[in-house]
Amino acid sequence: MTIGPSPLDGANHLLVEKVPLILAEMAALGHPMKMTEGRRSLKRQQDLYAQGRTKPGSKVTNCDGVKNKSKHQAQSDGTHHAIDFVFILGMGRVTWKGPWDVFGALVRKHGLKWGGDWTTPDRPHVEV
């Protein structure tokens, strides 16, 4: 079985340090989670930006990857500054339904920014 790269690969040191602590605390509270996406290529970012615009689906980002870079893309320090998360139901199943406010409180406690605090919330998103 081949396991792909971790969303923490190439991440800012604060994400590398804090995310495992947040995941461990969520699991201890009975809410296991996993990371779904870390660094994005320009192509991946542009594909996401096209969704809901020139491709079918709902809009998922306002970052086009060029004029407005995503924190998921490499930043000036060479690392990416964002990771997305999902709750684990078990048996390989995941859900975006869960105690996001608990997650957000832990993200804030560890000094990171939670997308759930934005005007247009993005609850699975955490960034430096």
Side-chain angles (χ1 to χ4, degrees):
M1 177 174 161
T2 303
I3 298 174
S6 165
L8 285 174
D9 289 350
N12 177 276
H13 69 95
L14 291 172
L15 291 173
V16 172
E17 176 186 328
K18 305 291 185 173
V19 164
L21 301 174
I22 294 166
L23 290 174
E25 289 181 52
M26 287 299 291
L29 292 170
H31 308 295
M33 300 180 79
K34 72 176 189 174
M35 299 173 283
T36 59
E37 191 164 22
R39 183 184 295 255
R40 289 183 189 151
S41 66
L42 175 59
K43 180 180 181 337
R44 170 77 173 138
Q45 189 63 42
Q46 289 176 328
D47 285 345
L48 288 173
Y49 183 75
Q51 189 175 318
R53 291 176 176 85
T54 59
K55 291 184 176 181
S58 301
K59 289 182 182 179
V60 295
T61 183
N62 290 318
C63 298
D64 65 4
V66 178
K67 292 180 184 174
N68 188 11
K69 282 183 82 169
S70 166
K71 296 274 187 154
H72 284 278
Q73 294 175 270
Q75 303 296 301
S76 61
D77 65 0
T79 67
H80 67 87
H81 292 196
I83 296 179
D84 293 333
F85 296 83
V86 67
F87 290 94
I88 301 171
L89 293 173
M91 304 294 288
R93 296 177 307 137
V94 298
T95 183
W96 282 265
K97 294 180 182 177
W100 288 110
D101 290 339
V102 173
F103 177 68
L106 288 176
V107 169
R108 283 187 230 100
K109 176 184 125 179
H110 286 281
L112 299 175
K113 297 174 188 169
W114 180 47
D117 290 329
W118 297 346
T119 303
T120 303
D122 183 3
R123 298 180 304 174
H125 183 92
V126 172
E127 66 181 45
V128 174

